[in-house]
Amino acid sequence: MEQLKGNKYGTHRVIEPKGVLTQAAWKIDNDMTKRYSNEIICDVISLNIDSASFTQISEVCGGDEKKIGEMIMSIVAERGKQQNPVTGSGGMFIGKVAYIGDDLKDRDLKVGDKIASLVSLSLTPLKIEKILAVHKEIDRVDIVGQAVLFESGIYAKLPDDMSEPLALAALDVAGAPAQARKLPKEGDSVLILGANGKSGVLCGYEAMKKVGPKGNVVGVVRNPAQVHDLMELGVYHKVIVADATKPIDVLEASLAANDGKEYDISICCVNIESCEMSAILPVRDDGLVYFFSMATSFTKAALGAEGIGKDVTMIVGNGYTKDHAEITLNVLRENAKLRKLFDEKYC
């Protein structure tokens, strides 16, 4: 029987409002019995909910794992996708390929392959039959269910040289370290907020390599107890303690760690709101501010920069950068300390 062909970007799955892409849609079609010639359907193993979204859900549910699972089930049942209605963000999945449409048969992929989606759950048709486990310490949910990848959707085959949970933990934030490799140049000073998280340590590693011995990569954490272990990792030149929601405190501590000079680049990996000005304030005019956090308000960032007269280039945290999956997995292959940290903390 001839298969129907859907839109490359998935608009054939939009239920409401019509005329938008699936990320902007309120509700999308997650009927997995519909098989299109340019879709891939996967049996999902785990969801990695993005940090800002999981933090918000956990707070609403009082940290109760059963309630967290029920809330995620409710969101997906209502919307056909895992898109937090407060943060607007989603996450990613790992799963086993169950169906490949005829138009995609030429891809280096076969039924049974295990892959990680590299597009957001906020645009991915998802159907959850059962929640198996909620791992709130690592923002992960094990499920029985299925998900759709559109023709335009990107993914990565899970590597043979590391565990599924390890690969998922790294690929969940793959866009950040790839940008941290691309944006700095030799001798730059780089400030990383949220320095202790997954994206923070990976960005620190890539930035350290890029800026070289004459550069300065400084991490910002709120908990003093994290400083020693981060310095032992060797992914920062310095680590300072400051609350990222208090921009003047961050400014004073960060300038002190950079010989009183403003930074060339800041990278915001913090998973809570109201950290925009802490990323902007320490950066020099004509410098770069990269907002990787999905908790970022771009209204606050734009108006805040204007209000303090900062002429900085602000970059949206695009989760996709060319070769970002391989770049990120290679960090774990290159750095035994980081791999050990991810194995112990996120797997």
Side-chain angles (χ1 to χ4, degrees):
M1 191 172 91
E2 185 179 356
Q3 298 173 334
L4 293 173
K5 183 166 185 173
N7 176 271
K8 176 180 180 178
Y9 301 108
T11 57
H12 58 286
R13 290 271 185 179
V14 172
I15 295 175
E16 62 172 296
K18 293 293 185 181
V20 302
L21 294 171
T22 54
Q23 201 280 333
W26 171 253
K27 185 176 180 65
I28 61 176
D29 184 357
N30 64 352
D31 184 349
M32 299 297 163
T33 65
K34 296 178 180 176
R35 300 283 169 108
Y36 293 87
S37 64
N38 57 342
E39 287 185 345
I40 295 167
I41 297 178
C42 295
D43 293 324
V44 178
I45 298 166
S46 295
L47 308 174
N48 233 60
I49 309 299
D50 88 272
S51 184
S53 175
F54 196 95
T55 298
Q56 190 275 332
I57 291 171
S58 183
E59 287 175 352
V60 169
C61 296
D64 185 288
E65 292 186 349
K66 185 173 185 293
K67 290 181 180 178
I68 291 170
E70 289 171 350
M71 186 169 179
I72 290 170
M73 287 278 286
S74 174
I75 291 170
V76 173
E78 181 177 33
R79 306 196 63 179
K81 57 180 177 173
Q82 171 50 41
Q83 183 177 33
N84 185 314
V86 175
T87 65
S89 51
M92 60 176 290
F93 73 81
I94 60 170
K96 188 179 289 187
V97 175
Y99 162 84
I100 304 172
D102 288 345
D103 292 341
L104 305 181
K105 295 290 189 182
D106 59 346
R107 296 195 176 185
D108 181 24
L109 197 66
K110 64 183 185 298
V111 170
D113 282 347
K114 286 184 179 178
I115 64 172
S117 66
L118 298 178
V119 291
S120 175
L121 291 174
S122 66
L123 58 82
T124 301
L126 174 67
K127 195 171 193 68
I128 299 179
E129 296 173 24
K130 185 189 297 185
I131 300 279
L132 298 177
V134 174
H135 309 282
K136 66 179 184 180
E137 69 284 356
I138 54 174
D139 306 342
R140 188 173 304 152
V141 184
D142 299 331
I143 72 162
V144 175
Q146 289 190 308
V148 173
L149 286 173
F150 302 124
E151 182 181 346
S152 60
I154 54 176
Y155 55 85
K157 286 187 182 181
L158 293 181
D160 296 329
D161 60 343
M162 58 185 72
S163 69
E164 291 171 14
L166 178 61
L168 178 60
L171 291 171
D172 182 40
V173 293
Q179 288 285 6
R181 167 184 288 196
K182 184 165 71 172
L183 296 176
K185 61 182 184 299
E186 189 173 353
D188 273 353
S189 54
V190 181
L191 183 70
I192 299 177
L193 293 89
N196 193 58
K198 284 190 293 186
S199 55
V201 294
L202 293 171
C203 284
Y205 175 77
E206 285 294 345
M208 285 272 284
K209 287 200 301 181
K210 195 67 181 289
V211 304
K214 294 182 180 179
N216 188 28
V217 179
V218 177
V220 182
V221 296
R222 186 165 54 177
N223 185 352
Q226 296 169 342
V227 174
H228 176 267
D229 287 346
L230 282 177
M231 291 302 295
E232 284 291 304
L233 271 180
V235 296
Y236 298 106
H237 292 104
K238 300 171 188 174
V239 178
I240 59 174
V241 178
D243 184 340
T245 64
K246 298 177 179 177
I248 297 300
D249 290 354
V250 172
L251 175 67
E252 292 174 350
S254 60
L255 292 185
N258 198 38
D259 297 325
K261 297 180 294 186
E262 294 177 319
Y263 288 76
D264 298 296
I265 299 171
S266 73
I267 300 174
C268 186
C269 301
V270 184
N271 63 2
I272 57 174
E273 296 179 345
S274 300
C275 299
E276 294 82 5
M277 295 313 297
S278 290
I280 295 168
L281 205 55
V283 176
R284 63 172 173 80
D285 278 350
D286 298 320
L288 292 172
V289 181
Y290 176 60
F291 289 108
F292 185 70
S293 169
M294 290 296 105
T296 301
S297 162
F298 296 100
T299 303
K300 289 180 182 177
L303 297 180
E306 174 189 296
I308 60 170
K310 276 282 182 177
D311 183 8
V312 294
T313 298
M314 293 185 283
I315 301 176
V316 177
N318 185 351
Y320 173 68
T321 305
K322 188 176 181 182
D323 299 327
H324 67 324
E326 198 61 24
I327 287 169
T328 300
L329 293 175
N330 280 339
V331 171
L332 299 184
R333 294 179 178 118
E334 292 170 9
N335 189 308
K337 288 183 178 180
L338 270 177
R339 181 163 181 159
K340 183 172 184 288
L341 171 72
F342 270 63
D343 266 327
E344 293 174 349
K345 193 172 180 180
Y346 300 114
C347 297

